[in-house]
Amino acid sequence: MSILVTVNREQFVLRDPEAITRVRAEIEEAARSGGRMLVIGDTADGPEMLITPSTNVRIDILPLEAPDEGKSDDRDEVAFVDFDEY
C-alpha cells in the first residue's frame, strides 16, 4: 500500500508500511500537542514540515495498479534530459 500525504500544498508519497504508520501517528500527536516539526517521508533524512492544529493535512490511499504484460514499470526510474541535445 502507498499513501499520498498532502501538507498544505506539498505532497509526499510514502510506500514503506512502517513509515506510513509512523507518519500518521506523529501527525496526529503533533496536532494535538500544539505543533512540532516532523520528518515526512520513508527515510529519516526526509523533508521536515511544521505540523500545527491549523495545518491542512490530507492522507489518501493510492490505488494499486496491476502491471500490464509487456509494459515496463518505470515509476521508480529517473530520466535525465540532455538540454544541449534539444
Side-chain angles (χ1 to χ4, degrees):
M1 173 176 75
S2 297
I3 65 170
L4 175 68
V5 179
T6 305
V7 179
N8 292 328
R9 294 184 180 158
E10 299 292 324
Q11 295 185 326
F12 307 92
V13 175
L14 302 177
R15 292 184 177 90
D16 179 34
E18 291 177 11
I20 291 169
T21 303
R22 174 188 57 82
V23 168
R24 288 178 87 164
E26 287 182 353
I27 287 172
E28 184 176 346
E29 182 183 322
R32 288 180 188 221
S33 68
R36 68 183 177 116
M37 296 292 289
L38 298 180
V39 174
I40 308 291
D42 288 337
T43 60
D45 62 345
E48 285 187 297
M49 299 290 293
L50 177 61
I51 305 296
T52 67
S54 63
T55 302
N56 292 319
V57 177
R58 180 181 169 122
I59 298 176
D60 295 301
I61 297 174
L62 297 176
L64 297 176
E65 297 177 15
D68 294 337
E69 294 282 332
K71 183 179 174 186
S72 68
D73 184 16
D74 59 352
R75 289 180 289 181
D76 293 334
E77 294 180 14
V78 177
F80 294 97
V81 177
D82 183 7
F83 290 105
D84 294 333
E85 185 177 316
Y86 296 100

